[in-house]
Amino acid sequence: MMKFRFRRQGNDPQREKIKQELFAFNKTVEHGFPHQPSALTFDPQLQLMAIGTKSGAIKIYGSPGVEFTGLHRDTAVVSQIHFLQGQGRLLSLLDDNTLHLWELGGASRDRGGAKREGVVYLEEKRNYSVLGRPGLESCSASRVTVLLLLRSCDLLCVGTEGGAIHFLDLPRLSLRDNQSLLLDQVMQSVPEDYRCGKSLGPVESLQEHPQQPGKILIGYSRGLVVLWDLSTRNAEQMFLGKQQLESLVWERSGRSFVSSHSDGGYSLWAVASGNTYTHQPVSSSIPYGPFPCKAINKILWRTTQSGCPVVLYSGGMPRASYGDRHCVTIQQDKQHVTLDFTSRVIDFFTVHTTNLEHDYDDPSALVVLLEEELVVIDLLTTGWPSVPPPYLAPLHSSAITTSCHLDDVPAKLWDRLATAGNSQGTQHAHGSWPICGGKNLAPTPKQQELLLTGHEDGTVRFWDVSAVAMTPLYKLSTANVFHTDCDPNDDPNNDPLDPTNDPEALQEEEWPPFRKVGCFDPYSDDPRLGIQKISLCKYSCRLVVAGTAGQVIVLGLSDERSDHTVDVSTVDLLQDREGFTWKGHDRLEPRTSPAPFPPGFQPLVVVQALPPASVTAVTLHAEWNLVAFGTSHGFGLFDYHRHTAVLARCTLHPNDSLAMEGPLSRVKSLKKSLRQSFRRIRKSRVSGKKRPVPTPTSKIQEANAALADQEEVAPVQRRIEPRSADDSLSGVVRCLCFADTYLRDGTHHGPTLWAGTNSGSVYAYALEVPGVGSGRVGCVEAVLGKEIQLMHRAPVVSICVLDGRGKPLPEPYQASLDLATAPDMTNPHSVLIASEEQLKVFSLPKVGAKTKFKLTAHEGCRVRRVATVTVCSTAQEDYSETSLVCLTNLGDLHLFNVPVLRPQVRYDCIRKEDISGIASCVFTKNGQGFYLISPSEYQRFSLSAKVITEPLCTVELERPLEQHISDDAAMPLRANGTHRNRAEGLTEDPQCGLSSPPPLSPLDSPLSMVDLSLDTTGDLTVEDVRDFITTVDEVENNLRNITEEDGCSLGILIT
């Protein structure tokens, strides 16, 4: 027996050039809501909003598509941020007492084959550390509590914990020597009876006079408020408050100001010249008294032309009854609304007139930053409704459990989804988005893209991800298909026609007048509703969603409301197998009476798998009206046109007791787990000393024995121990695939179903579908054609059937509607099976191994996600390649060309410690991808040098832009498309995403072809293949002709 290894000396310059034109790794944009926000600010001149986070990130938002991202060198909480209005500069204060100046700067660079001119990026310019006076102030006394930027933007006032105020020149961030206002200087002007030997406390608030520049209002924690003149360095007036101070705000004319306090009240103070001391406010109010209330943390006072000011404040709730509520109150004359949120209020501001020539503020919108979402209230519309956000929507309004991407969505489906989504937003205002600064320079998307996210509460959300802004399009709820524990429709006392149940009438009687606002709701009525898998056919508008309790729902798109009963069919995957008892959760109880379904996707039939375990795989073929699903017990095939079950196959091993416990059960035995671990260790020690060779009974087995000996001494491979057949959860179905291919023989093709399991088993069924090919008219039938057992029993991650040209088969309806190139049905087909350890291509219909790549043996990693992508060239419009992309458990991406599985490039994408990010990754067909970097954010990345979705925007500033002519490698702190490793504090350049491998391992180098050994052995019986639809004579002929047919392929085993 001979085993050939093909080597290619040197680099192919032409191929290297093609690779550079095809592949480039870039982290482009972060979709969703910033994780753990901590600060908020707004520039009314540029109409830009900035959000700081606890991880040290700064994100600036304008009109949809206008986004800028920056990241501090040190991972620290952003305590405060402030715009230098109109200048495109931003000040940030971190909790380590450092100040940082950021700036929007111009740059031009080459990206995706096009020159980007006039694009603006965010970068850090300077930083300053605030230190106390040596020997006089402790570290805590010098801690910064508040910042004030004067309107002139040339001076920064810094208030500290010790009561001192320092002054820094801008934009240089240099301290003015001997200009600091110390607490001792203020105390000299305070009346003796007010001092009482007590300190004034930290500086809580600094506010500049709205009409007289150079005068600031200083508020101390104890309650003292001082009007200070910066030019004369004297106190003009002192307001001797006796209640602990929380915040201050000026009235627009400057003749009065409002203070909020820790007792839940606020006071109005008059500013009059000649009065050095003011002991009492003009008026005081505790809105939710008289019982003890929580502090009003922040208050705003906005004047209007109607004469009645708009008062907005956070907190102030009665401690005993509503102390745990997160609220912002809006009051104007007799109108009073308490906005009730589901997460903590971080900060808020109003969009109003800032031109000093106007006499009134006239607020138009209220923007509230919460811990888990952003809410905008329209203050010009009666009732103050909320405004739907075009971005920053909370992806995690319920925890994300799965995701699915669709590219090139037909316009008809898109319009119908948008119409259904608009009908769901009747409670929103129709006002425009108030944060509309900057200009989006990105070209119009060439196609519409959808990202579907499944959630724990049983909802599926449809997102527009065609561009930088991730916009909600439509929301589907599956909860009304079933009876749940907290179902309002099951309450006999809940009659919508009963006037006593009118929510508006109840709201009028309630005090405080709460109104639920926002969509963040992390609590699920029933965990069994959680969505686990999604499959959508964009041509037939058929959707399949599968859940935690074994429910598989087939839905169709309808433009009209419907009240109907949903048919339910059950599929028993155990097939009355004895010795197995389900110990997990019960199935969901479907409704037996008609239920209302709004326009959009409406359920056609519910398929209930038994036992009701979580669905682990699902696939849909709308052209055949078939849906296949798999659980930890087996897989089933269902004809949703006839509402009949076609197939139920149990994949359980006799020792799969853990599969009967369910994901919601916690009865796994630690003793059993330890016992299995020791057994695996003992087996690996024995097999490491000597590998037993089975008694050869044929030439094929002799060849395999020799092959095993060669694999023992391969210098670049790691030994991979076969997995035990009795491992727990070995019957879990990992992937399913429909394909029209050759399974029976090499002359007749037809519908097939492929299933891969956790134990390395692959089942291939030949299907008889009415009206397809030469199949008979009648019910769908399934016949087991092949059964493949991978040698190491590694879990099968993906199965993909390739046509005669080595290209993946088109999606259902693509070929029949002439939307894609018809598959090559004249040349032999092949099937690409990706397990956690290796990629392998088998010929069809004889299932002979053609080529493989042992990813685990070469790289020491395991495959987690696999997809086929089409990558287009930046140099030639009509040139593209089909590649296989693999994401491993180490977080790196490997790309191989198909079908020869030659390695192309490798990129570091996700930190290997980020298990949730790796598990959530989803690829697009055009070479992009998404993965969760937090519960509320998707990181978008691109593997294609041509298809890149990134922010390209500009902002008109009052200062000239400083031009930087550079490439990406010279932009270390710009974050649009560049993200540093936060753990190490290093910059990860998107253009330099190729890893630097050790020189002794040529396979580690993605671009090097020096001494590249492709393990393309063609051994047949290493994977045990059983053929169920051929005769004994055909099997003997196949074995006899194996060297004549498969042996001629490049790099296979010759026997």
Side-chain angles (χ1 to χ4, degrees):
M1 187 203 76
M2 299 176 62
K3 179 181 179 182
F4 292 100
R5 291 184 181 271
F6 292 86
R7 305 177 187 272
R8 188 172 185 177
Q9 301 294 333
N11 293 335
D12 183 358
Q14 183 64 26
R15 182 57 191 170
E16 299 303 315
K17 181 181 178 182
I18 293 176
K19 285 183 181 180
Q20 293 178 3
E21 295 169 353
L22 289 173
F23 307 110
F25 180 75
N26 293 283
K27 291 184 178 180
T28 53
V29 65
E30 295 174 0
H31 294 299
F33 183 77
H35 184 52
Q36 294 183 331
S38 56
L40 175 71
T41 189
F42 180 67
D43 188 335
Q45 294 186 32
L46 300 180
Q47 294 183 311
L48 296 175
M49 176 185 68
I51 296 176
T53 70
K54 291 183 178 180
S55 60
I58 289 187
K59 302 191 177 186
I60 300 178
Y61 302 93
S63 59
V66 177
E67 295 185 14
F68 308 96
T69 305
L71 191 63
H72 291 87
R73 295 181 183 273
D74 298 324
T75 303
V77 177
V78 180
S79 302
Q80 298 181 44
I81 47 178
H82 300 270
F83 272 112
L84 279 68
Q85 294 187 8
Q87 296 188 15
R89 292 189 175 104
L90 182 77
L91 268 175
S92 62
L93 170 67
L94 304 185
D95 64 350
D96 60 1
N97 231 37
T98 58
L99 295 168
H100 301 260
L101 179 65
W102 297 81
E103 189 174 284
L104 293 175
S108 63
R109 60 174 177 169
D110 191 5
R111 174 67 70 84
K115 196 79 170 179
R116 307 298 189 186
E117 297 289 349
V119 180
V120 175
Y121 297 91
L122 181 65
E123 54 187 348
E124 183 180 350
K125 285 294 186 181
R126 297 177 181 86
N127 59 76
Y128 178 82
S129 181
V130 181
L131 303 175
R133 294 175 294 170
L136 297 177
E137 288 184 329
S138 62
C139 294
S140 59
S142 62
R143 187 181 68 86
V144 178
T145 56
V146 64
L147 299 177
L148 170 64
L149 271 169
L150 298 189
R151 283 192 300 274
S152 59
C153 294
D154 59 354
L155 185 65
L156 174 67
C157 307
V158 182
T160 65
E161 185 84 26
I165 301 175
H166 307 290
F167 301 96
L168 280 74
D169 286 320
L170 294 176
R172 295 180 299 164
L173 277 183
S174 59
L175 180 67
R176 288 190 177 183
D177 296 333
N178 302 321
Q179 295 289 322
S180 298
L181 175 59
L182 305 180
L183 190 60
D184 299 340
Q185 298 174 252
V186 178
M187 289 292 289
Q188 293 175 3
S189 304
V190 176
E192 188 67 30
D193 58 345
Y194 188 81
R195 297 182 192 177
C196 301
K198 298 180 180 179
S199 172
L200 297 181
V203 180
E204 289 290 342
S205 182
L206 293 172
Q207 300 291 332
E208 185 181 10
H209 198 290
Q211 303 296 333
Q212 301 177 28
K215 293 183 179 181
I216 61 174
L217 207 59
I218 307 172
Y220 295 92
S221 176
R222 181 179 163 188
L224 176 67
V225 180
V226 180
L227 180 60
W228 186 266
D229 192 331
L230 295 175
S231 59
T232 62
R233 295 183 59 81
N234 288 321
E236 285 197 358
Q237 191 172 355
M238 289 192 172
F239 306 88
L240 308 178
K242 299 180 181 179
Q243 190 61 244
Q244 182 177 335
L245 182 70
E246 295 290 334
S247 70
L248 295 172
V249 63
W250 280 102
E251 186 265 335
R252 188 179 183 89
S253 65
R255 292 189 290 268
S256 61
F257 69 89
V258 179
S259 61
S260 67
H261 302 278
S262 60
D263 63 346
Y266 64 87
S267 302
L268 178 65
W269 301 80
V271 178
S273 58
N275 293 338
T276 305
Y277 302 108
T278 301
H279 295 270
Q280 295 294 332
V282 175
S283 62
S284 294
S285 173
I286 301 180
Y288 300 112
F291 299 105
C293 297
K294 301 194 72 174
I296 294 180
N297 303 311
K298 180 178 179 179
I299 189 168
L300 297 178
W301 186 284
R302 303 302 184 211
T303 58
T304 62
Q305 296 186 25
S306 63
C308 297
V310 179
V311 184
L312 310 99
Y313 52 89
S314 61
M317 291 292 104
R319 285 185 177 274
S321 51
Y322 302 109
D324 58 344
R325 298 287 185 99
H326 310 289
C327 300
V328 171
T329 300
I330 309 176
Q331 291 180 236
Q332 186 183 24
D333 197 14
K334 295 182 180 180
Q335 299 182 69
H336 189 140
V337 172
T338 305
L339 305 177
D340 188 10
F341 305 105
T342 54
S343 58
R344 184 171 60 92
V345 178
I346 303 298
D347 202 353
F348 61 94
F349 64 84
T350 58
V351 179
H352 61 277
T353 303
T354 57
N355 192 338
L356 296 179
E357 296 179 359
H358 293 77
D359 297 331
Y360 302 98
D361 294 312
D362 290 330
S364 59
L366 167 67
V367 180
V368 185
L369 175 65
L370 305 166
E371 198 170 33
E372 305 293 351
E373 61 182 321
L374 184 81
V375 174
V376 177
I377 304 297
D378 184 0
L379 298 179
L380 299 180
T381 304
T382 303
W384 298 327
S386 59
V387 180
Y391 51 83
L392 286 179
L395 308 179
H396 63 316
S397 52
S398 177
I400 297 176
T401 52
T402 186
S403 59
C404 172
H405 180 272
L406 275 82
D407 65 336
D408 201 11
V409 178
K412 184 177 181 180
L413 171 61
W414 189 274
D415 294 339
R416 296 176 69 185
L417 286 174
T419 302
N422 292 334
S423 65
Q424 296 175 337
T426 54
Q427 74 277 14
H428 292 302
H430 299 284
S432 59
W433 184 249
I435 305 163
C436 53
K439 182 180 180 181
N440 185 12
L441 301 178
T444 303
K446 296 181 180 180
Q447 62 179 13
Q448 304 285 4
E449 297 183 44
L450 275 177
L451 182 67
L452 281 63
T453 55
H455 298 264
E456 191 180 33
D457 62 353
T459 59
V460 178
R461 287 172 167 81
F462 293 66
W463 305 90
D464 178 6
V465 291
S466 310
V468 171
M470 186 175 183
T471 306
L473 195 66
Y474 167 71
K475 174 184 173 183
L476 166 69
S477 177
T478 62
N480 56 346
V481 181
F482 306 98
H483 290 288
T484 59
D485 297 335
C486 301
D487 194 343
N489 296 326
D490 294 338
D491 186 1
N493 298 323
N494 186 20
D495 184 2
L497 301 179
D498 188 352
T500 60
N501 292 330
D502 186 4
E504 295 184 359
L506 294 176
Q507 180 173 312
E508 292 179 359
E509 299 175 1
E510 185 181 17
W511 183 259
F514 289 116
R515 181 204 294 172
K516 287 287 185 181
V517 181
C519 59
F520 177 73
D521 184 12
Y523 306 106
S524 174
D525 293 341
D526 195 326
R528 297 174 296 174
L529 290 171
I531 305 297
Q532 297 298 325
K533 297 295 176 181
I534 304 172
S535 181
L536 172 61
C537 177
K538 57 189 177 183
Y539 304 110
S540 63
C541 301
R542 288 291 185 266
L543 172 67
V544 174
V545 295
T548 305
Q551 71 272 25
V552 180
I553 310 174
V554 182
L555 305 102
L557 188 59
S558 175
D559 299 328
E560 303 293 335
R561 172 190 168 94
S562 174
D563 290 39
H564 64 270
T565 304
V566 183
D567 292 337
V568 180
S569 298
T570 59
V571 178
D572 185 5
L573 298 179
L574 292 183
Q575 296 292 293
D576 299 327
R577 180 175 294 194
E578 298 181 357
F580 290 93
T581 304
W582 174 248
K583 303 175 184 178
H585 50 268
D586 294 331
R587 56 180 286 187
L588 285 166
E589 181 184 354
R591 293 186 183 276
T592 56
S593 58
F597 299 101
F601 279 103
Q602 299 174 354
L604 304 176
V605 61
V606 175
V607 184
Q608 179 62 57
L610 295 178
S614 178
V615 177
T616 56
V618 72
T619 186
L620 167 70
H621 201 296
E623 202 166 2
W624 301 341
N625 296 322
L626 295 177
V627 57
F629 58 92
T631 69
S632 57
H633 307 112
F635 57 93
L637 180 63
F638 187 81
D639 181 353
Y640 61 84
H641 178 68
R642 293 178 174 268
H643 291 198
T644 57
V646 179
L647 169 68
R649 173 65 185 259
C650 181
T651 57
L652 281 178
H653 189 271
N655 294 335
D656 267 348
S657 59
L658 187 61
M660 306 307 296
E661 297 173 358
L664 302 182
S665 177
R666 296 293 181 266
V667 296
K668 182 178 180 180
S669 171
L670 177 61
K671 184 181 298 184
K672 179 180 179 181
S673 177
L674 291 174
R675 187 185 307 118
Q676 291 176 345
S677 299
F678 281 116
R679 285 177 180 175
R680 281 193 290 267
I681 293 174
R682 192 179 303 113
K683 287 181 181 180
S684 65
R685 288 176 178 175
V686 173
S687 60
K689 296 178 182 179
K690 182 179 179 180
R691 170 174 290 190
V693 179
T695 303
T697 57
S698 67
K699 292 183 179 181
I700 295 298
Q701 290 182 339
E702 292 177 0
N704 288 330
L707 176 63
D709 293 337
Q710 288 190 9
E711 289 185 345
E712 280 193 19
V713 297
V716 296
Q717 297 184 21
R718 296 167 175 82
R719 175 182 295 278
I720 305 301
E721 296 298 335
R723 308 187 186 195
S724 173
D726 59 356
D727 283 347
S728 298
L729 299 178
S730 62
V732 175
V733 177
R734 294 288 295 271
C735 58
L736 293 163
C737 170
F738 284 113
D740 184 357
T741 187
Y742 298 92
L743 188 64
R744 296 178 181 272
D745 51 55
T747 57
H748 302 89
H749 63 87
T752 60
L753 170 65
W754 299 73
T757 71
N758 224 30
S759 60
S761 299
V762 178
Y763 304 91
Y765 280 82
L767 306 179
E768 293 284 351
V769 180
V772 177
S774 59
R776 63 181 180 82
V777 177
C779 298
V780 179
E781 294 183 0
V783 179
L784 180 62
K786 312 283 184 181
E787 184 176 337
I788 307 171
Q789 179 61 60
L790 302 182
M791 182 180 68
H792 290 137
R793 300 183 178 273
V796 179
V797 179
S798 173
I799 300 174
C800 178
V801 177
L802 308 177
D803 67 1
R805 293 186 295 265
K807 303 294 183 182
L809 297 180
E811 298 178 17
Y813 286 108
Q814 276 192 331
S816 60
L817 298 178
D818 294 330
L819 299 174
T821 304
D824 184 359
M825 308 300 289
T826 57
N827 295 312
H829 285 196
S830 55
V831 58
L832 171 59
I833 298 177
S835 71
E836 284 191 357
E837 297 176 358
Q838 68 179 2
L839 313 172
K840 196 159 189 177
V841 178
F842 295 88
S843 62
L844 290 178
K846 296 180 180 179
V847 195
K850 297 175 64 176
T851 181
K852 68 180 177 182
F853 186 85
K854 296 182 178 181
L855 197 64
T856 301
H858 290 308
E859 307 290 344
C861 55
R862 296 189 183 277
V863 178
R864 288 291 179 259
R865 288 286 185 271
V866 176
T868 54
V869 299
T870 301
V871 184
C872 299
S873 172
T874 58
Q876 306 176 45
E877 285 292 332
D878 57 345
Y879 183 77
S880 64
E881 289 187 5
T882 300
S883 299
L884 183 76
V885 55
C886 297
L887 174 67
T888 72
N889 62 326
L890 302 181
D892 52 356
L893 295 168
H894 298 256
L895 277 86
F896 304 86
N897 58 0
V898 178
V900 297
L901 299 182
R902 186 183 300 274
Q904 298 299 305
V905 291
R906 184 185 69 184
Y907 302 111
D908 295 325
C909 180
I910 311 174
R911 293 181 299 107
K912 63 181 180 181
E913 298 83 7
D914 189 1
I915 299 176
S916 62
I918 295 174
S920 63
C921 185
V922 58
F923 296 104
T924 72
K925 294 185 180 300
N926 58 6
Q928 299 188 81
F930 302 82
Y931 68 91
L932 287 172
I933 55 176
S934 73
S936 60
E937 291 175 291
Y938 270 108
Q939 172 69 66
R940 188 171 190 156
F941 63 89
S942 174
L943 300 168
S944 170
K946 185 174 183 179
V947 181
I948 301 174
T949 304
E950 64 174 348
L952 297 173
C953 43
T954 187
V955 179
E956 295 184 4
L957 307 176
E958 295 181 355
R959 60 174 178 83
L961 290 177
E962 298 179 10
Q963 294 294 330
H964 301 275
I965 308 300
S966 61
D967 55 11
D968 291 344
M971 302 166 63
L973 289 180
R974 294 174 188 141
N976 286 10
T978 307
H979 297 267
R980 297 184 293 105
N981 188 327
R982 298 181 183 178
E984 301 177 0
L986 300 177
T987 302
E988 179 179 302
D989 190 318
Q991 297 291 352
C992 300
L994 297 177
S995 55
S996 299
L1000 298 179
S1001 181
L1003 284 172
D1004 286 343
S1005 176
L1007 297 181
S1008 175
M1009 300 299 294
V1010 179
D1011 196 27
L1012 179 61
S1013 301
L1014 290 180
D1015 188 356
T1016 55
T1017 56
D1019 46 299
L1020 177 66
T1021 56
V1022 169
E1023 278 74 32
D1024 181 21
V1025 180
R1026 284 187 280 176
D1027 197 331
F1028 293 89
I1029 54 177
T1030 56
T1031 63
V1032 177
D1033 295 336
E1034 289 176 335
V1035 174
E1036 293 178 354
N1037 291 333
N1038 291 339
L1039 292 175
R1040 189 179 304 113
N1041 297 330
I1042 192 170
T1043 58
E1044 300 175 4
E1045 297 182 21
D1046 294 338
C1048 298
S1049 301
L1050 177 64
I1052 67 167
L1053 178 67
I1054 307 297
T1055 58

